[in-house]
Amino acid sequence: MAVKDEQPPLHILFFPFLAPGHLIPAADMAALFAARGAKCTILTTPLNAAVIRSAVDRANDASADAERAPAIDIAVVPFPDVGLPPGVESGPALSSEADREKFFRGSQLLRDPFDRFLAEHKPDAVVSDSFFDWSADAAAEHGVPRLTFLGSSMFARACGSSMVRHNPVEAAPEDDPDAPVLLPGLPHLVVLRRSQMMDPKKRPDRWAFFQSMNAADDRSYGEVFNSFRDLEPEYLEHYETVLGRRAWLVGPVALASKELATRGAAAAADKGNNGLSPDAGGCLRWLDARPASSVVYVSFGTLSHFSPPELRELARGLDMSGKNFVWVVGGGADDTEESEWMPDGFADLLARGGRGVIIRGWAPQMVILNHAAVGGFVTHCGWNSTLEAVSAGVPMVTWPRYADQFYNEKLVVELLEVGVGVGSTDYASKLEARRVIAGEVVAEAIGKVMGDGEEAEAIRERARVLGEKARRAVEKGGSSYDDVGRLMEELMARRSPVNV
């Protein structure tokens, strides 16, 4: 009996949660592993497949040109019928709490097609979203190692683990939203306001789910992160030594194929396709005519919603800042009449040759952040946006809204010192109850990262250095490049020898 010299390529199944912020980095990560010789499959539903189709096609085209990596496949399964309208199968499409409950229930029913895929294809590993907590046991039943991926920072994951293990909110006065809450057991002193955190007593269902997620991640093979070692080294050590979890840092995943992504997005913007807003192409041409580092970019992702008073104050802040701006208007503004929130005179800033551009819809964010004219980013601190700013060396004005965003703000402002906060204090509260942040505060924060003072220059220099470290991490011989190789080698070594 001889052992075969040639083994089939490593096969990795990617199973991201059904929202763009989870899908897109998972597709980028699949492209990374495919470029190193792995066979990658992404399991998702029809409309979610459309979100990542162009990115997968570009990665496959690049692989074909290089005559190396196998194609990335998208395995499409129907979204379970749970009473949602046709075509509603992703986070941004949900318009009510009842729909969100149905959607969550439907996402849990994806276990059957997940089980079938594992049984029929027997992949070497599965990279599964933490929101699919049941996938840990399902993968174990099939003898497949489950690597978890949530698309957040190591810092935020460590904070979340501290929250679940210790529930420090319980000791804070319920009638004081500003009461400080210390997250214990972390490498740094991390203190948030009570109002910036989920209250387990008010959402026992969500609290129970987070506990289940954490337990499932504890018993998984390990976790892959869209991060890099130089960004949060203390939290890699904390994750492995204190939490006892294995981790591989393979990001920034979008940077690893930045040239391809930039070329594809820019071309798509010019043509007005690829799901981008028709405003995108004109925005890039407008940026070309602006001085270096003179533009502040404003975007809050796909799920954040703003009330008309909040939009009005943001617009006032952009006006008072005196900076050129590109503002991606979404999150509730798409269906709000501009007359309800646009201040007097603001439209003049948007006139031809004016100081500002508004994009309604999907913007080529990586292209914009890497444009020489952009010198600051007003962001909700979603991890994808945060890491794209870090990769581009752009300082941030932080305005978190919910989920891990308040943790990421702490990382950006207090640990990395590459951003300034506007003082957001309300975790996922209703729009009508949310505290409105004054335009003067917004303008001041923009000035602190884009102004002429020593503090602003120091912030920009730290951001620039981080951007260089991010780029080195994904280059051959960089820490993220090496982590991809180490994980692939380990998964290959788990295989039993193939006899002939």
Side-chain angles (χ1 to χ4, degrees), residues 228 230-231 255 389-395 416-418 457-473:
F228 58 100
D230 280 344
L231 186 65
L255 249 192
V390 166
S391 302
V394 174
L416 300 175
E417 298 181 294
V418 293
E457 290 180 5
I459 288 174
R460 291 196 293 269
E461 176 60 17
R462 285 190 289 269
R464 184 192 65 77
V465 170
L466 268 184
E468 291 180 352
K469 290 180 178 180
R471 290 186 286 276
R472 286 200 298 268

Side-chain angles (χ1 to χ4, degrees), residues 42 47 61 88 117 224 271 275 313 370 384 391 405 407 429 488:
I42 303 171
L47 287 183
D61 289 345
V88 176
F117 188 96
V224 285
K271 296 175 183 176
E313 289 303 308
N370 281 279
N384 293 328
S391 302
Q405 295 165 13
Y407 297 147
S429 60
M488 291 181 65

